Amino acid sequence: MKREGWLLALLGVCILEASEFSLGAGVGYQTSPYKDDDSTVLAMPWVNYQGESLYLNGLEAGYKVHQESPLSLTFLIKGRMDGFKRQESGYLEGMNTRKYSLDGGMKGALQTPFGTFEATFSHDLLGVHNGYATELEYRYDYHQNGWGLTPFVGLEYLSKDLSDYYYGVRSSEARAGRDAYTPSGSINTYLGFSGYYRFDGSWTLFGGGKWLRYDSEIKDSPIIEDSSRLTGVVGINYRF
């Protein structure tokens, strides 16, 4: 099952300087936590723009309304590429499609000598899951002579409505071996890294990975097989 764009939304590898446009291509891999749902390998175009206030980074776009060091505040919209398509066979047969959505909200960041701390709140804009998510993340940016590495760690809270839509089983979807299930709000933890290497003034090799571990509210769902999800990407782009 293909999920165009999930990679860009989840990793958020940002390698641009002020007022730059970058175009390239990448190949990504993501495991699926759902039963009888395959991992995905996907090739896709990669587009980034970073201006003084406006940015586009994969499936996330934002506008910085406040950016006086060490604090910044950003309005953002981003794709939520969770879910699965309706299947005609296998364990998920009889389950309705869990659709992609578009979330919008605000992000605050505090830059310190020890790294950057971020807090994000976002809510469903399309009426798909009608829920919200909050996220706390710490990252440390290291740059040296044309290359950089950014490890990060964080946690996310998914509201009851959001968790139920993507990981719950409705009474109309229950069957033998798949009981109805309604999760509460869930707290997931994750860690990962992003990095880049610049060959010259224009070409850049980039990559990254993210490992996310699900809360017990999600792991206990009868449609969930794996307790974690792994995402990775590698690609190359050209800065104009």
Side-chain angles (χ1 to χ4, degrees):
M1 176 173 59
K2 293 185 177 180
R3 297 181 174 87
E4 290 77 2
W6 51 258
L7 185 62
L8 308 181
L10 292 175
L11 286 179
V13 178
C14 185
I15 58 176
L16 301 178
E17 297 174 355
S19 300
E20 289 186 356
F21 173 73
S22 177
L23 181 64
V27 177
Y29 171 81
Q30 177 170 276
T31 61
S32 173
Y34 298 102
K35 292 182 178 179
D36 285 349
D37 195 26
D38 295 331
S39 300
T40 304
V41 177
L42 183 66
M44 65 188 73
W46 192 282
V47 181
N48 275 323
Y49 171 77
Q50 184 73 45
E52 291 297 325
S53 298
L54 182 68
Y55 71 86
L56 171 64
N57 183 24
L59 284 188
E60 178 176 318
Y63 184 82
K64 295 181 179 180
V65 295
H66 176 83
Q67 46 183 335
E68 293 184 6
S69 182
L71 296 172
S72 65
L73 184 63
T74 303
F75 288 108
L76 61 85
I77 56 174
K78 58 182 180 178
R80 179 169 293 278
M81 315 308 287
D82 300 328
F84 53 85
K85 294 181 179 179
R86 186 181 180 90
Q87 299 184 12
E88 300 301 324
S89 62
Y91 187 83
L92 297 178
E93 179 182 0
M95 297 285 298
N96 293 326
T97 297
R98 300 303 196 259
K99 300 178 180 179
Y100 303 153
S101 190
L102 186 69
D103 295 353
M106 299 189 72
K107 175 170 63 179
L110 172 66
Q111 293 184 336
T112 76
F114 312 103
T116 301
F117 298 85
E118 287 187 349
T120 304
F121 173 85
S122 60
H123 193 281
D124 183 17
L125 298 178
L126 302 182
V128 174
H129 57 77
N130 294 309
Y132 66 89
T134 58
E135 190 172 337
L136 297 175
E137 181 177 297
Y138 166 78
R139 69 173 188 269
Y140 185 82
D141 299 304
Y142 181 79
H143 305 279
Q144 182 69 36
N145 296 326
W147 65 276
L149 183 66
T150 301
F152 58 85
V153 62
L155 59 86
E156 62 176 13
Y157 172 78
L158 307 183
S159 70
K160 182 180 183 301
D161 287 338
L162 195 160
S163 297
D164 184 35
Y165 179 78
Y166 287 110
Y167 307 108
V169 179
R170 302 162 187 166
S171 58
S172 60
E173 298 171 330
R175 68 177 192 184
R178 189 176 69 205
D179 296 334
Y181 182 75
T182 304
S184 299
S186 56
I187 300 177
N188 306 318
T189 56
Y190 63 86
L191 57 84
F193 72 95
S194 63
Y196 68 88
Y197 179 80
R198 287 180 177 164
F199 295 106
D200 54 33
S202 299
W203 288 101
T204 301
L205 178 70
F206 64 87
K210 181 178 180 179
W211 177 79
L212 182 144
R213 182 172 179 81
Y214 291 108
D215 183 276
S216 60
E217 288 290 330
I218 293 177
K219 291 188 293 184
D220 290 343
S221 171
I223 62 173
I224 296 300
E225 183 174 46
D226 295 324
S227 61
S228 62
R229 183 181 66 200
L230 182 64
T231 307
V233 62
V234 63
I236 191 169
N237 66 6
Y238 183 86
R239 297 184 301 131
F240 294 91

